[in-house]
């Protein structure tokens, strides 16, 4: 599984994605959502498993959840689980902050 560089530094990523916000990025032709909570940065699929709205249009909270803008489904960014178990979990991707940038690992 390849690692793909998304940002030149953690500071750059956090300046582009303030706390409680998220952003869609394209890595290896795949759109993913980078979410920022007080605990840090997370990478997940961009489409809500419920009805497919872009999670990058949503917000995050202090519980490390991303909230879908359409029906307010909340997904835990560490486990991927929806808070009430109403739909399948989010696909999550490994994210690493390195000395030379922020990287995501995508399946081949």
């Amino acid at each position: 599984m390849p690692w793909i560089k998304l940002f030149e530094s953690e500071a750059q990523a956090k300046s582009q994605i303030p706390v409680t916000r998220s952003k869609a990025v394209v890595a290896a032709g795949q759109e993913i959502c980078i979410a920022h909570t007080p605990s840090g940065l997370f990478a997940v699929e961009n489409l809500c498993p419920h009805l497919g709205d872009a999670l990058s249009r949503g917000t995050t909270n202090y519980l490390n959840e991303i909230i879908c803008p359409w029906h307010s489904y909340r997904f835990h960014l560490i486990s991927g689980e929806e808070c009430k178990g109403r739909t399948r979990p989010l696909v999550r991707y490994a994210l690493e902050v390195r000395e030379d940038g922020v990287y995501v690992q995508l399946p081949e």
Side-chain angles (χ1 to χ4, degrees):
M1 294 200 229
W3 286 91
I4 300 160
K5 188 175 189 175
L6 301 176
F7 300 97
E8 293 299 319
S9 67
E10 182 177 23
Q12 180 191 47
K14 289 181 175 180
S15 72
Q16 290 186 27
I17 311 166
V19 174
T20 75
R21 304 300 304 164
S22 55
K23 178 180 181 170
V25 298
V26 176
Q30 182 176 342
E31 188 174 81
I32 62 173
C33 174
I34 306 299
H36 188 184
T37 74
S39 296
L41 298 166
F42 298 89
V44 295
E45 66 182 304
N46 193 35
L47 296 180
C48 177
H50 175 229
L51 289 175
D53 199 6
L55 290 173
S56 58
R57 295 186 330 104
T59 59
T60 66
N61 63 24
Y62 69 96
L63 298 171
N64 291 323
E65 295 172 333
I66 189 161
I67 304 158
C68 179
W70 199 354
H71 292 111
S72 298
Y73 276 41
R74 297 185 346 250
F75 296 88
H76 197 269
L77 291 162
I78 296 170
S79 70
E81 296 292 325
E82 195 272 324
C83 73
K84 295 183 180 176
R86 298 172 286 188
T87 189
R88 73 165 174 79
L90 284 178
V91 174
R92 296 168 294 119
Y93 304 105
L95 188 80
E96 282 188 5
V97 176
R98 301 179 186 171
E99 196 172 293
D100 67 332
V102 177
Y103 291 79
V104 67
Q105 186 178 41
L106 298 177
E108 294 189 55

